[in-house]
Amino acid sequence: MKSREYQQIDPKALPTPTQSPPSHQHQAVGDDGRTPRRKWEVFPGKNRFFCDGRIMMARQSGVFPLTLGLILVTSGLFFIFDCPFLVKHLTSCIPAIGGVLFVFVLITLLQTSFTDPGILPRATPEEAADIERQIDDTGNASYRPPPRTKEVLINQQVIKLKYCFTCKMFRPPRTSHCSLCDNCVERFDHHCPWVGNCVGKRNYRFFYTFIVSLSFLTAFIFGCVTTHLALRAKGGKGLMFALQESPVELAICFFSVWSILGLSGFHTYLVASNLTTNEDIKGSWSGKSGEAVTNPYSHKNIFINCCSVLCVPMPPSLIDRRGFLPADEPAQTSGVDLELPNPSTKSDINVVGGSSHLVLDLQKSSADFSLFLNQTKPAALPA
Amino acid sequence: MAETHSLQDMRQQAAVAAKVFIQRDYSNGTMCQFQTKFPSELETKIDKQQFEETIRTLNNLYAEAEKLGSQSLIEGCLACLTAYTVFLCMETHYEKVLKKIAKYIQEQNDKIYAPRGLLLTDPIERGLRVIEITIYEDRSFSR
């Protein structure tokens, strides 16, 4: 099994910066020699940036164009074919409600896809060295691979914090490393290919609003199309003839309504119990190991749980995409200089599909720990 | 003014002797809190009470930023009704408190830490992972 190589930190290679002056004084210049470079240009994760760092997505956009296309096509067909008929025979509120729902869905989808999900920036070389140095306190200033986990007590429960070898830090609780984006994401829920981004602390509320409003929209369109067909069939020509006129819309709505309603219901349960998809799938708090474990993050009250997930003040983006790079600071490297051949070698991949909830959960064995290479660089270790 | 001037001088002239990292304290969950344990490297540099006071104030400020009160509840509901587009126009509560924190750190650096040859780095520049304290070489600063 291919393991992640541990790269020993060479203390001589650590930068000894004079405290970097305010960033607008000395900036790393871009290719044209004039424009200063921004931090997003050297971001080590697998992300794509647009509008000079204002918008970001995962590098693999997944089926995001398909999601957008389906929503636009279905809504377009609804407005073009069903609305005129229903306005004439029922009420003109129908396109109004449909319009509001459609705009809501579109805005929340774009916000989910384009927002930083809560990516944790990688540790600076000095921080990483500090963590590794702390382990060995017999007086020897040597740098060894840190232990894989560290335990903390949260609400009288022992939680294991894992060390992330890519980001060179102990992950905070509920943080997980997404292999598709190669980033540690806070309160990691899942990587959603339908929106082409991870769902984490900062964009979970957008994601939840998106799927709830999408359920309303698809249910609404489905209801309107059914009413339209029923009225037409009553008009004398028969149901089969009426069905032939709008098959596409009906098919899309019929199949998506159940899956999206199901997904909304699932996430409502998660919000009410303050759980993430990641924790639910792994069964972190269901007591599988036999011990009496409960979710230490739950407030034991559905209303407070919902508020703490959806109404907490919006946390800031920690990666400072649009900040300028100081000229003397080396760009944060990707830590371990490995080309990961394919994501399946990484531990924990959670990809949740829309209707079928596909989950691939590959756990690396702890035997990998023994495969760490001691020295990959020719630099000498300190005494 | 003179204190700020000496802070900038220190940044440009003095060499960095060491860096101390105050890690996060997760005993209350995922809230942003830092450990108040006094690091041994700072024993000769600064008073323990002073240090703990700084960390405690920072912890209180971060708790204020993340607090789930009635105001944040109303803001959250209103934001939801507008499909969260208000986040594009308004400065969020968290960002307002972060500015307060930046000001507090600047003040602490000017008054307490710089005269002792130390420098606090705002945790937001380190992704809220650590509070980085830079110890500068003791040359002309020991009075």
Side-chain angles (χ1 to χ4, degrees):
Chain A
M1 199 184 297
K2 182 140 193 182
S3 71
R4 184 179 291 283
E5 285 178 28
Y6 170 70
Q7 289 221 334
Q8 194 71 287
I9 288 188
D10 175 21
K12 293 197 182 97
L14 286 176
T16 50
T18 52
Q19 186 69 19
S20 49
S23 53
H24 49 266
Q25 285 181 4
H26 306 288
Q27 286 152 3
V29 286
D31 294 329
D32 59 4
R34 276 176 287 126
T35 49
R37 293 176 81 195
R38 293 195 191 256
K39 290 180 185 171
W40 65 265
E41 298 181 54
V42 296
F43 186 69
K46 291 188 189 149
N47 289 94
R48 268 194 274 187
F49 297 90
F50 306 102
C51 295
D52 199 20
R54 290 182 180 87
I55 290 175
M56 66 182 291
M57 287 183 76
R59 194 171 295 170
Q60 297 181 13
S61 56
V63 290
F64 172 67
L66 178 66
T67 310
L68 207 54
L70 279 174
I71 293 174
L72 291 172
V73 160
T74 315
S75 307
L77 288 174
F78 167 72
F79 286 119
I80 295 170
F81 293 111
D82 295 305
C83 278
F85 182 88
L86 289 169
V87 164
K88 206 163 43 154
H89 288 83
L90 280 180
T91 164
S92 54
C93 280
I94 288 181
I97 298 173
V100 164
L101 281 174
F102 171 68
V103 165
F104 219 80
V105 164
L106 217 52
I107 292 178
T108 46
L109 170 63
L110 295 177
Q111 286 184 323
T112 312
S113 301
F114 295 158
T115 308
D116 168 15
I119 295 175
L120 281 177
R122 299 184 184 189
T124 56
E126 297 107 352
E127 272 178 66
D130 186 63
I131 293 180
E132 295 179 14
R133 189 177 51 229
Q134 276 174 354
I135 313 305
D136 182 3
D137 52 10
T138 59
N140 277 349
S142 67
Y143 296 84
R144 296 156 65 235
R148 197 117 179 241
T149 58
K150 183 165 91 165
E151 288 184 353
V152 292
L153 206 66
I154 298 177
N155 276 343
Q156 283 90 44
Q157 248 187 79
V158 174
I159 307 288
K160 287 202 167 93
L161 302 186
K162 285 189 182 164
Y163 184 76
C164 182
F165 289 97
T166 312
C167 304
K168 297 247 179 216
M169 60 178 173
F170 280 97
R171 282 182 216 136
R174 310 189 99 174
T175 302
S176 198
H177 190 95
C178 176
S179 53
L180 292 167
C181 305
D182 205 23
N183 291 315
C184 270
V185 176
E186 280 191 292
R187 203 185 184 278
F188 180 73
D189 196 84
H190 65 284
H191 182 99
C192 187
W194 296 91
V195 303
N197 200 4
C198 287
V199 177
K201 180 159 120 176
R202 292 187 79 243
N203 66 350
Y204 187 74
R205 64 190 80 189
F206 304 145
F207 176 74
Y208 182 71
T209 316
F210 165 62
I211 55 174
V212 168
S213 49
L214 188 61
S215 337
F216 281 123
L217 181 68
T218 39
F220 182 73
I221 293 180
F222 188 60
C224 289
V225 167
T226 317
T227 314
H228 181 185
L229 290 177
L231 290 174
R232 269 209 197 217
K234 219 169 56 171
K237 286 193 179 154
L239 186 62
M240 287 316 294
F241 183 77
L243 263 176
Q244 281 165 18
E245 293 197 321
S246 49
V248 171
E249 251 183 291
L250 202 60
I252 295 176
C253 279
F254 183 74
F255 290 112
S256 47
V257 122
W258 309 115
S259 47
I260 294 177
L261 270 176
L263 193 62
S264 305
F266 174 63
H267 277 278
T268 307
Y269 156 71
L270 289 182
V271 164
S273 18
N274 202 336
L275 276 175
T276 62
T277 307
N278 201 22
E279 286 164 354
D280 187 68
I281 284 172
K282 284 190 192 164
S284 312
W285 317 120
S286 64
K288 271 188 192 168
S289 52
E291 305 149 11
V293 288
T294 53
N295 183 3
Y297 312 109
S298 168
H299 298 99
K300 315 290 182 215
N301 176 314
I302 290 179
F303 180 66
I304 299 180
N305 279 340
C306 292
C307 292
S308 69
V309 176
L310 302 172
C311 296
V312 163
M314 184 73 180
S317 174
L318 298 175
I319 54 178
D320 190 26
R321 311 184 281 279
R322 288 176 49 77
F324 288 104
L325 276 178
D328 50 356
E329 213 173 85
Q332 263 202 335
T333 56
S334 13
V336 181
D337 292 321
L338 258 199
E339 291 266 289
L340 287 181
N342 55 62
S344 60
T345 55
K346 179 72 186 66
S347 57
D348 311 325
I349 303 172
N350 284 314
V351 175
V352 181
S355 55
S356 48
H357 286 255
L358 297 170
V359 172
L360 308 172
D361 193 359
L362 310 174
Q363 285 282 358
K364 264 170 80 159
S365 71
S366 52
D368 289 343
F369 195 62
S370 57
L371 296 177
F372 291 127
L373 305 179
N374 270 325
Q375 195 69 27
T376 54
K377 291 197 271 185
L381 271 177
Chain B
M1 200 56 192
E3 284 165 338
T4 324
H5 187 64
S6 73
L7 186 63
Q8 283 179 357
D9 280 346
M10 183 169 75
R11 285 178 191 176
Q12 284 154 20
Q13 293 165 16
V16 176
K19 289 197 182 197
V20 181
F21 297 97
I22 312 295
Q23 300 288 341
R24 285 269 295 267
D25 173 19
Y26 294 116
S27 51
N28 282 330
T30 52
M31 267 176 56
C32 183
Q33 302 279 282
F34 291 95
Q35 291 177 0
T36 48
K37 190 172 81 99
F38 189 58
S40 50
E41 294 92 334
L42 296 179
E43 260 161 23
T44 53
K45 298 275 178 178
I46 191 171
D47 187 29
K48 184 175 171 194
Q49 300 281 55
Q50 195 69 266
F51 171 81
E52 283 179 3
E53 175 64 34
T54 310
I55 305 292
R56 227 176 280 132
T57 313
L58 282 176
N59 282 343
N60 288 338
L61 285 169
Y62 281 114
E64 187 195 320
E66 295 178 7
K67 194 166 95 104
L68 182 64
S70 53
Q71 197 201 358
S72 66
L73 190 61
I74 295 171
E75 276 176 10
C77 291
L78 278 177
C80 179
L81 289 174
T82 62
Y84 302 107
T85 45
V86 288
F87 290 147
L88 301 169
C89 334
M90 255 173 42
E91 191 183 55
T92 65
H93 171 72
Y94 210 114
E95 283 168 353
K96 289 190 189 130
V97 180
L98 283 179
K99 283 195 174 151
K100 242 163 90 174
I101 290 171
K103 220 169 101 193
Y104 174 74
I105 289 180
Q106 174 75 31
E107 203 182 276
Q108 290 284 293
N109 272 334
D110 288 341
K111 289 194 199 142
I112 299 169
Y113 290 84
R116 292 170 170 81
L118 298 171
L119 189 72
L120 287 177
T121 304
D122 195 336
I124 197 73
E125 292 176 30
R126 296 287 177 264
L128 293 181
R129 289 186 303 268
V130 288
I131 300 177
E132 186 179 300
I133 305 180
T134 316
I135 304 174
Y136 287 94
E137 261 176 24
D138 210 8
R139 275 189 238 148
S140 53
F141 296 108
S142 49
R143 290 278 151 120

